[in-house]
Structure formats: structure tokens, C-alpha cells
Amino acid sequence: KLARSFLGKEVEVIMDRPMNSKHPEHGFEYEVNYGYLQGVMSPDSEELDAYYLGVDKPLEKAKGVVIAIVHRTNNDDDKLVVAPEGIVLSDEEILKQVNFQEQWFKSVVVRS
């Protein structure tokens, strides 16, 4: 799958939904920075989405390493999990941080 090809690689995430911003349609607040990889199209015909974890302030864009994927088992819309180099998060920590959005989906953390 496309998302898996990015595991372990450095990428730049453009934040279209910075931390503390509101979802334009559903109104929930983004508890982490959320964005996409510019020019990388995913199966849903949008640019590949990414959660940017390990930073506690809103960002416009940031480089980091893809440490995992949040795979939705009931929806073909995988999300990269990107963090600054050296940040280590357990599967449980990742799911807790992205729950504000993933609570409506069946999601698992994939690392290989």
C-alpha cells in the first residue's frame, strides 16, 4: 500500500488543520497538528494525510519521520503518523492522541 512505502522515511507535512483548529464541517477541535504530504495522492483522491505528533504547538509545516500508520479497517483512508526525529510513541499513545478524530472509525496502528 502507498502509506506503508513511507514508513521510516523523512517527510514534510503541510498542516491544513493545525493543532487547536476546528474541523470545517464537523466542528471538532484538532488536538494535534494534522496535514498532508504535498503532491502525494492517496486512494481517496486527496493528498496523503498525516498526523504530526510530538509537538505541543500549532505548526504550518514540519519535517519528521513516519513512525507508524493509522489504518482504518472500515475505510480506505490511511493516515501517516509523523514525529520529529527521536520521538518514540507506543501504539497506545498514538491511538490516544488521534482519538479525537479516529473515534468514529475502526483504526489500528501499523508499523511494518
Side-chain angles (χ1 to χ4, degrees), residues 16-51:
D16 56 348
R17 311 255 168 87
M19 176 186 276
N20 304 325
S21 64
K22 292 235 184 281
H23 189 285
E25 232 174 284
H26 304 294
F28 63 83
E29 188 172 292
Y30 282 83
E31 296 175 13
V32 300
N33 287 289
Y34 182 79
Y36 59 91
L37 302 194
Q38 194 159 14
V40 179
M41 301 310 283
S42 66
D44 69 356
S45 301
E46 302 277 332
E47 285 166 307
L48 186 57
D49 295 320
Y51 289 106

Side-chain angles (χ1 to χ4, degrees), residues 1 3-4 18 20 24-27 41 56 58-59 61 66 74 79 81 90 96 104-105 108 112:
K1 286 204 161 193
R4 287 176 195 212
N20 304 325
E25 232 174 284
H26 304 294
M41 301 310 283
D56 61 0
L59 300 171
K61 64 181 177 178
V66 180
N74 59 340
K79 315 288 184 197
V81 178
S90 70
K96 186 177 170 196
W104 294 289
F105 303 95
V108 295
S112 59

Side-chain angles (χ1 to χ4, degrees), residues 44-90:
D44 69 356
S45 301
E46 302 277 332
E47 285 166 307
L48 186 57
D49 295 320
Y51 289 106
Y52 195 89
L53 306 182
V55 175
D56 61 0
K57 64 178 194 258
L59 300 171
E60 288 181 26
K61 64 181 177 178
K63 286 193 166 130
V65 178
V66 180
I67 59 169
I69 295 157
V70 173
H71 171 66
R72 294 179 175 173
T73 59
N74 59 340
N75 167 324
D76 191 21
D77 193 17
D78 288 348
K79 315 288 184 197
L80 300 181
V81 178
V82 181
E85 197 162 343
I87 297 281
V88 178
L89 297 165
S90 70

